[in-house]
Amino acid sequence: MTPDSLDGNAYPVAGAILPGPLLAIESSCDETACAILAPDGRVLAERLVSQEAHAAFGGVVPEIAARAHLALLPDLAGKTLESSGLARGDLAAVAASTGPGLIGGLIVGASFGKGLAIALGKPFIAINHIEAHALSARLPGVSDGQIGFPFLLLLVSGGHCQCLAVEGVGQYRRLGGTIDDAAGEAFDKVAKMLGLGWPGGPALERLAREGDPAAFALPRPLKGRAGCDFSFSGLKTAIARQLEPFGFAALPRQVAADLAASFQQAVADVIEDRATHALAMMERPTALVAAGGVAANTVLRERLTALAAAHGLPFVAPPLRLCTDNAVMVGWAALEICREATRLGLPVPDDRATRPRPRWPLGEMAERFAVG
Ligand code: KG4
Ligand code: ZN
């Protein structure tokens, strides 16, 4: 991790936002993370621990995650502050993901953040985790210039799979999403069937390089259908069917590689099709943005780059460490919210009364800026 890698790429953010830096906390799933951002978005320090205890279970265990956040967070926050060279009293605000996500972890992060904010007498800003992913493309240094509104966000991770029209800060329209598994979940489950470790996406992509993407005729669920919903469970079942003849016998490596490549191709075909539909559902989008762990997939990135180019749009995917769960995006979302509040003549929000929520629809985010 390079804490200051975004230094020098900041652009000045118009308007008075915060009188000093803020501390941001992310604890909604299995990453425990802290970051300190200057009011202009410069990253002064960041620290992240990807909890490893879940690998043995082949997926995130909520109770283990919550306990790990509790054990890790105080020290991580202290070390982040230390590496920023700041003192606690220099902080102007504290922000934390308060939903959606695994409730145990959210409670840990939000309680820690609120406690610190109260002790410092500074505002606490509650951040919607999906909103943080959505705005991360606007982080200084992520694209050549700042991405304007509206843009299409394709959020594809282990827990999320949706198309969002990002029309402004607090203005999000869900265009479609998965009706069963998330894209990353499908990668993980298929990887498990092929005998690969967890998380399976990166391992499956590596194996797929040795395979023929046309070797197996797999379905393309919902491809060509109106709207931009996703479905991956049929694809998973199709892979299971291809594996039946092998029973308990070891799967020949070439067959596994061909299956991996064919699966990856099918997922890329589906996501490209769904993104095409989503673009058609928007008026004058300014960019195609992808975020979430699956956006790290090279085949998918190539497809989306070509799709965006065909629409005369830039394709933006934050670097992997900002695509997956992190605290920098949480801090950035807090700054965007403060800036929007300032623009509307509203005070910097203080969300001490906001409770963590396992579900928190993005449609509710506009309420923060409702005047009167
Ligand atoms: O965003 P993320 O780190 O965590 C959340 O789910 O919130 O995403 C992790 C997911 C996992 O399902 C992982 O298998 C998948 O992203 N993933 C990939 C790749 N890298 C990570 N899937 C396909 N290809 C990859 N290269
Ligand atoms: Zn996430």
Side-chain angles (χ1 to χ4, degrees):
M1 177 113 328
T2 47
D4 304 319
S5 51
L6 291 177
D7 262 346
N9 284 320
Y11 61 89
V13 178
I17 305 180
L18 282 175
L22 62 72
L23 170 71
I25 298 165
E26 163 57 36
S27 63
S28 67
C29 191
D30 59 340
E31 260 88 30
T32 314
C34 292
I36 295 177
L37 272 68
D40 64 0
R42 258 176 315 127
V43 180
L44 303 179
E46 64 174 302
R47 297 227 168 194
L48 181 144
V49 178
S50 271
Q51 301 172 5
E52 282 167 6
H54 307 282
F57 299 91
V60 180
V61 183
E63 180 69 20
I64 292 177
R67 285 168 190 257
H69 288 305
L70 195 58
L72 290 165
L73 195 50
D75 192 43
L76 201 71
K79 292 220 166 85
T80 311
L81 197 62
E82 205 180 294
S83 52
S84 72
L86 298 168
R88 237 182 294 169
D90 297 327
L91 297 174
V94 181
S97 285
T98 56
L102 301 175
I103 193 64
L106 293 170
I107 290 174
V108 171
S111 304
F112 182 88
K114 281 184 197 182
L116 182 59
I118 290 167
L120 295 172
K122 299 288 160 60
F124 171 76
I125 306 168
I127 299 299
N128 182 305
H129 177 88
I130 306 288
E131 180 173 36
H133 274 301
L135 296 173
S136 63
R138 286 165 51 83
L139 259 159
V142 164
S143 62
D144 293 342
Q146 196 188 4
I147 305 285
F149 299 117
F151 61 85
L152 173 64
L153 173 74
L154 182 66
L155 181 55
V156 278
S157 72
H160 327 287
C161 184
Q162 49 185 291
C163 291
L164 279 179
V166 182
E167 294 169 343
V169 178
Q171 311 293 325
Y172 313 102
R173 201 156 48 89
R174 190 176 186 276
L175 303 172
T178 186
I179 55 173
D180 41 58
D181 293 344
E185 204 178 343
F187 266 97
D188 291 338
K189 287 177 179 171
V190 169
K192 197 171 179 180
M193 290 186 222
L194 299 179
L196 306 172
W198 181 86
L204 192 144
E205 179 175 5
R206 272 195 303 277
L207 181 61
R209 283 190 206 121
E210 300 169 27
D212 172 8
F216 291 91
L218 298 173
R220 267 64 175 162
L222 300 187
K223 187 174 172 205
R225 287 274 190 95
C228 59
D229 282 340
F230 300 82
S231 166
F232 294 106
S233 70
L235 200 45
K236 208 175 54 193
T237 312
I239 298 276
R241 212 165 287 139
Q242 297 292 346
L243 291 173
E244 270 166 18
F246 296 94
F248 290 107
L251 194 60
R253 187 168 175 94
Q254 194 54 51
V255 175
D258 285 346
L259 273 171
S262 302
F263 167 79
Q264 183 174 256
Q265 182 87 344
V267 172
D269 281 354
V270 167
I271 292 181
E272 180 188 3
D273 174 76
R274 307 286 73 198
T276 307
H277 280 233
L279 283 172
M281 291 162 82
M282 291 180 68
E283 246 175 73
R284 295 171 201 248
T286 60
L288 170 58
V289 174
V294 182
N297 187 280
T298 314
V299 171
L300 183 60
R301 274 184 187 248
E302 283 168 6
R303 290 295 195 83
L304 295 175
T305 305
L307 173 65
H311 284 76
L313 300 175
F315 171 67
V316 179
L320 186 57
R321 67 189 185 84
L322 296 174
C323 244
T324 55
D325 289 350
N326 66 87
V328 172
M329 69 177 189
V330 176
W332 176 249
L335 290 175
E336 291 255 43
I337 287 166
C338 290
R339 179 166 56 155
E340 183 65 0
T342 304
R343 195 181 70 79
L344 295 170
L346 299 169
V348 166
D350 191 352
D351 302 321
R352 286 173 200 194
T354 301
R355 288 196 204 151
R357 292 172 59 175
R359 288 175 184 276
W360 192 6
L362 276 178
E364 293 181 22
M365 302 320 294
E367 288 168 16
R368 183 191 278 290
F369 304 111
V371 184

